[in-house]
Amino acid sequence: MTQAWQLLRRKRFTAFRVSRGAWAFLVATACSSGARTTPLPAPVSPTSVAAGARPRPYPVTESAAFRRAVERGTRTRTGAPGPRNWTQFARYALRAELDPATKRLTGDGRIRYQNPSPDTLRFIAVHLHQNLFAPGAARNEIVPETNGMELSRVVAQGRTLPQMHDVESSVQPGYEIEGTVAWIRLPTPLAPGSAAELELSWSFTVPVDGAPRSGTDGEVFMIAYWYPQVAVYDDVNGWQTDWYMGNAEFYMGWADYDVALTVPAGWLVGATGELRNALDVLTPRTRERLAEARRSSSVVHVVTEAERGAGQSTTAGAGGKVTWLFEARNVRDFAWGTSDQYLWDATHAVVGDVGCLPQLTASRESAPAAPGCDQRTDTATIHAFYRPSRIPWAWDQSARYGRHSIEFLSALLWPYPYSQMTALDGVVSCSGMEYPMITCIGGERDTLSLYSVTVHEFAHMWFPMQVGSDEKRRAWQDEGITRFNQAQAMRSFFDGYDLERIVRDAYLGFARAGGEVELMRHGDLYPVGSQAYAMASYQKMATNLVALRALLGPETFMRAYREYGRRWIHRHPTEHDFFNTFSDVSGRDLSWFWRTWFYETWTLDQAIAGVQATGDSTTITVDDRGLAPMPVRLAITRQGANRVDRVEIPVDVWLRGERRATIRVASSPRITRVEIDPESAFPDIDRTNNRWGR
Ligand SMILES: [Zn+2]
């Protein structure tokens, strides 16, 4: 999702400013003799300054649950999945009909739930996300109310189940609804390696605009979290059934979907997956335009303003209705949107060789061996659905923006594995929200903001759509990574646009104002109404990745970053898998970095305390005035010769508990300037004390 956030007005942080008078004196005494030398080793002063003792980051400790997973062989300490790693899998066959006049959605479905885990399951937990909108629901944001999801039929293993109040202690099969979760006690416990079939019927009123991530404004219906979805049962924590309370997002399992959506004729549908019955749904002209979009490198207007409506863009259907059939394989959700107002643009993106990707192309039930590279360049169709009123908001550029996003990210990460990607002009309260192969984007935009939100949501097709982390408990694992990827794409698209700097300044401003909360926290446990969630999960995490890239070097960083993704495609990585992969690939113990930047709100403030020439050598004194330890990267500029020496004080100095370090360098050629981290790779909260000299 895209979080709206404001840049806080920058406040000068003056508590530790160093006197400039002292520096002037040091410049005057710098001597100018001696040959060019490499810097001497950095002796460390044991003196502590008045700022006092510092925290020394202790290592990241595994949770007991993670340790058990390692012992059972489903996880490892290298960050790779264990040889016995498993994920649950489901097959959904869903039908739904939307009546735009009453805003009612009526659905029924069959779910075949497979249990590859070694555990026998007496219950299956199912999310009923629409209950967020039920009167009296527990939630952490204000939402429009409906009656929530009304379940009219629950069948498990062929037996119709009654609703109960205490299904946990019941000996009979049945189901109980707690908030946004239904617990189903199965007639027969589900043995390891077997499958259970559920059948459910339901209906609900689509909430009006103002609902998070879905809803209707009367013209457009964004239908998300609309069917009973089996919760994740994973190898580390078992069932994860935290309620949907509004702020925190989702944790979803892998599944195949066959979905039949009935809407009035003339309403266009954008959805997860591939349209399977174009002949029944689309007129010959619409189908021909779509085929052209798959061939042509330009954007094709598939449906123009004059071509909307039944018999024009879609077939006339039966009884004024058309049923669209979609199929999606190995995805974590299914969402869709529809309107009779939509224009439709399409083009295609060149993504590289999808055949090289492990286990992406087939559902697990058919499960052929992962195909090798087929030496073919694959493409993905890009769709944009928008109202004519959105053209001033740059929506006529949406397909082009989508194409750049998918092509750039395919090159940065790995080839986009799905056949299509859709951007949909939706309700304002969507802001920007990702679902597999589709995004809902709402609100007034310009070219910068529409590209920005498009590439952000499209980047989510990698994290968490392929790399299926728990967004509720570890929002940084998809949002911060996505913010970082978005920044790389924006630098390319807008020729140097520096989103990395913007998000770093936002995080630092928020930290200065005292609002920061650590990022290793459940998404529903941030202060309501504060930007703390967005700052931690998005801005700080993206900033952490920038710092990590500087620490490891871009090449090693990208190797570890991609490796983490590839290892966990179609699986459920925890924070330990992320940390361990980076340590494994880089060959470095980074536990101090994880502890500092992921578990604490310590900030970084390195300062030049003095530059003192004594004969042939000059002593540079650096104080560490913050709480976050980082290496000190010094740039020493000398008079004439355009010479800049780069010297690094290793982080180990601070990890030993020091507050001050000194380094000796040659005095001549005369030093004109000393600066800590001139590239701003590390998020120093007070840059006014980072420089000595001109
Ligand atoms: Zn996002």
Side-chain angles (χ1 to χ4, degrees), residues 1-2 249 434 456-457 460 478-479 482 538:
M1 194 175 193
T2 304
E249 298 201 301
E434 71 280 8
H456 179 96
E457 308 313 334
H460 275 306
D478 74 297
E479 292 298 356
T482 292
Y538 293 68

Side-chain angles (χ1 to χ4, degrees), residues 32-37 616 666 668-669:
S32 55
S33 65
R36 176 176 177 155
T37 56
D616 291 340
S668 178

Side-chain angles (χ1 to χ4, degrees), residues 117-282:
S117 85
D119 308 325
T120 298
L121 305 177
R122 291 183 301 127
F123 292 88
I124 292 178
V126 173
H127 289 292
L128 308 175
H129 291 116
Q130 289 295 319
N131 281 353
L132 173 70
F133 307 110
R139 53 197 171 218
N140 49 31
E141 56 186 66
I142 296 161
V143 301
E145 287 197 351
T146 68
N147 279 327
M149 184 174 267
E150 296 160 42
L151 274 186
S152 57
R153 191 174 67 113
V154 177
V155 176
Q157 295 164 326
R159 194 154 148 192
T160 303
L161 302 186
Q163 186 170 357
M164 295 179 166
H165 289 295
D166 185 9
V167 78
E168 173 71 41
S169 51
S170 167
V171 289
Q172 296 298 319
Y175 71 95
E176 179 179 355
I177 297 175
E178 291 182 331
T180 61
V181 175
W183 284 97
I184 298 173
R185 177 186 278 278
L186 296 169
T188 308
L190 181 58
S194 60
E197 202 142 288
L198 306 175
E199 288 172 55
L200 301 106
S201 302
W202 68 92
S203 61
F204 63 87
T205 301
V206 179
V208 296
D209 198 353
R213 311 175 181 95
S214 67
T216 180
D217 56 16
E219 287 185 344
V220 162
F221 287 76
M222 182 63 222
I223 310 294
Y225 320 110
W226 59 280
Y227 61 94
Q229 183 181 27
V230 180
V232 172
Y233 183 85
D234 72 27
D235 62 303
V236 178
N237 294 315
W239 287 112
Q240 211 288 39
T241 56
D242 301 346
W243 293 359
Y244 182 32
M245 296 179 68
N247 186 61
E249 298 201 301
F250 308 95
Y251 186 29
M252 292 170 165
W254 305 106
D256 287 351
Y257 289 83
D258 288 287
V259 180
L261 302 171
T262 302
V263 296
W267 286 60
L268 294 178
V269 177
T272 300
E274 271 292 294
L275 179 63
R276 279 296 168 225
N277 64 337
L279 277 175
D280 302 333
V281 170
L282 304 175

